[in-house]
Amino acid sequence: MSAIQVPDAPVVLSTASVYPEKTPAAFETAAKLGYDGVEVLVSSDPVSQDIDMLRRLSDYHGVPILAVHSPCLIFTQRVWGRDPWGKLVKSKEMAEALGAKTIVVHPAFRWQREYAREFEAGINRMQDETDVVFAVENMYPVRMRDREVVPYAPSWNPLDRDYPDVTLDLSHSAMSHSDAMEMAKALGDRLSHVHMADGTGTQSFDEHLIPGRGTQPCAELLEHLATTGYRGQIVLEVNTRKAADRESRHLELAEALAFTRLHFAGIHTDPAADPRGDRRERIAMRRRDDGSPPPRTFAVTSEGTVDRA
């Protein structure tokens, strides 16, 4: 038998994934489908900006808020004022108040010249002031007819900068025609947050497809994370706006969750037969030694049946 270890990293639902439904629907959906938590995208929806309401939703549905996505998108430029540093301060205050572990932030837009100039140093400075992680997200150039425009500064690519923590978004890697696997390997321990989605890179917009429906190495990345001791968060940030109704949306988000849980698992083998097995066992032992709950495991027999360990 091969024992399959399910890593401890939580699988989280972004509130953006239920759009055009509002923030409360994300908590209800996460609870119903069995997600481990919610990432709140701070948007024009008043509930997404209200710490007390978010706490009540979290308590009522029994779903923790594990991450906050700062309002740094084009369509959220007026949320929490126009000062980009002020937005990050409020994001930090929200994350600390709600017990979230991570703040997702995009690099500055080119027209935010002073912010862009100070962005890298400022992120490092803010990180020194809190235990909440600021994870800067990979973005992408925009292709307009026969030319390429880069709207971000100092760079859309986190490999070009020295951010201590990075969010890897696979829909964005499709848009930038990047190799997501190579990016993940190059980031190493700096990869602390993943936006799991898919894309084809053939459209002029950011697709955020259900994992497995595009060309990105979603399964391979999940398997890589599972076997290298990844302990960050995996957030399903997908586009379900074309779903006919709530039931259809739930089916899509259930598919996304099932795909992620299926591939986010590491196989334990006999170390004598596979030298990688010893390394995986050391990862498992390290987790047990740090006081965290024992890893969830199950075994698959040669007949295809499952025995829980």
Side-chain angles (χ1 to χ4, degrees), residues 21-274:
E21 293 191 83
K22 301 295 186 181
T23 301
F27 285 87
E28 180 182 349
T29 301
K32 179 177 181 178
L33 298 182
Y35 280 83
D36 297 320
V38 162
E39 175 177 296
V40 175
L41 172 64
V42 180
S43 67
S44 57
D45 177 4
V47 174
S48 73
Q49 306 172 32
D50 189 321
I51 291 174
D52 289 337
M53 282 297 297
L54 291 170
R55 183 182 290 115
R56 289 170 62 185
L57 284 167
S58 176
D59 290 344
Y60 179 77
H61 291 287
V63 177
I65 297 169
L66 298 180
V68 172
H69 194 311
S70 186
C72 47
L73 288 73
I74 287 282
F75 66 86
T76 60
Q77 285 190 86
R78 295 189 180 184
V79 174
W80 284 350
R82 290 187 174 273
D83 176 22
W85 291 116
K87 294 173 187 283
L88 291 187
V89 169
K90 287 192 173 184
S91 298
K92 178 177 77 74
E93 292 171 349
M94 172 179 281
E96 290 174 338
L98 295 172
K101 307 294 185 185
T102 304
I103 297 166
V104 178
V105 57
H106 291 182
F109 291 113
R110 281 197 171 278
W111 56 84
Q112 298 173 308
R113 293 182 180 177
E114 184 176 348
Y115 179 51
R117 241 187 339 263
E118 300 176 359
F119 182 74
E120 187 170 349
I123 288 292
N124 290 331
R125 184 175 61 251
M126 292 191 72
Q127 186 62 79
D128 290 340
E129 300 170 356
T130 181
D131 291 332
V132 180
V133 168
F134 286 88
V136 182
E137 190 166 3
N138 65 307
M139 298 307 291
Y140 47 85
V142 176
R143 292 172 178 82
M144 303 175 64
R145 295 182 180 177
D146 59 345
R147 65 193 185 101
E148 186 176 272
V149 177
V150 180
Y152 302 99
S155 175
W156 62 265
N157 187 349
L159 294 179
D160 296 339
R161 315 309 300 176
D162 193 28
Y163 308 126
D165 289 276
V166 171
T167 297
L168 176 58
D169 185 304
L170 274 76
S171 181
H172 295 177
S173 64
M175 284 289 288
S176 65
H177 297 174
S178 303
D179 186 323
M181 285 296 298
E182 290 303 316
M183 186 175 285
K185 292 174 183 178
L187 286 169
D189 291 342
R190 293 201 294 147
L191 178 58
S192 60
H193 203 70
V194 172
H195 277 172
M196 181 53 54
D198 212 334
T200 64
T202 61
Q203 304 297 319
S204 58
F205 59 90
D206 191 11
E207 295 170 286
H208 284 274
L209 302 176
I210 302 297
R213 297 186 184 180
T215 60
Q216 293 304 287
C218 297
E220 293 86 347
L221 178 66
L222 288 165
E223 291 162 5
H224 167 73
L225 296 176
T227 56
T228 54
Y230 177 75
R231 301 189 69 184
Q233 299 175 20
I234 299 173
V235 181
L236 272 300
E237 190 185 67
V238 295
N239 182 353
T240 64
R241 69 186 64 188
K242 291 184 179 180
D245 50 32
R246 175 171 285 193
E247 181 179 359
S248 299
R249 177 167 293 111
H250 283 183
L251 286 173
E252 292 202 321
L253 294 176
E255 177 187 331
L257 178 61
F259 180 100
T260 303
R261 292 208 191 282
L262 173 65
H263 293 287
F264 187 52
I267 299 176
H268 281 260
T269 58
D270 180 358
D274 183 352

